[in-house]
Amino acid sequence: MKIDDASGKLPNLPTAVSSGSRAVVGKTPESASSGKTDKVSLSGTLQSLSASGNAPVDTAKVDKVRAAIADGSFHADAERIADGLIAANRELLARDK
């Protein structure tokens, strides 16, 4: 989905440049090919989770979904997603009261 800024009110956002099969955000084609890199640092907690292999992510499920997306067999249930978003918003609103 492409979102156009017809009103001109959105801030200037970094452009997405295709780099193989993934988009690289915040790089121009010139900087992406010139060898310049961005630096990312992880918090101590994230580093320890990553190193221990106990990250709160089911990597097998992630791999299964990634493969389904790649071969075109992944189906997103829009009604289920919408219900989840509504439930999450209701929960957040209830906390704020």
Side-chain angles (χ1 to χ4, degrees), residues 43-54:
S43 70
T45 303
L46 187 54
Q47 287 177 353
S48 64
L49 280 173
S50 179
S52 70
N54 293 329

Side-chain angles (χ1 to χ4, degrees), residues 66-78:
R66 184 176 286 144
I69 291 170
D71 69 18
S73 65
F74 182 78
H75 172 70
D77 184 351

Side-chain angles (χ1 to χ4, degrees), residues 21-55:
S21 62
R22 293 183 174 214
V24 178
V25 177
K27 293 181 184 281
T28 61
E30 299 81 32
S31 67
S33 63
S34 67
K36 294 181 184 177
T37 60
D38 292 330
K39 182 179 178 183
V40 176
S41 59
L42 304 176
S43 70
T45 303
L46 187 54
Q47 287 177 353
S48 64
L49 280 173
S50 179
S52 70
N54 293 329

Side-chain angles (χ1 to χ4, degrees), residues 74-89:
F74 182 78
H75 172 70
D77 184 351
E79 188 171 329
R80 184 174 173 200
I81 293 169
D83 289 343
L85 288 170
I86 292 169
N89 281 318

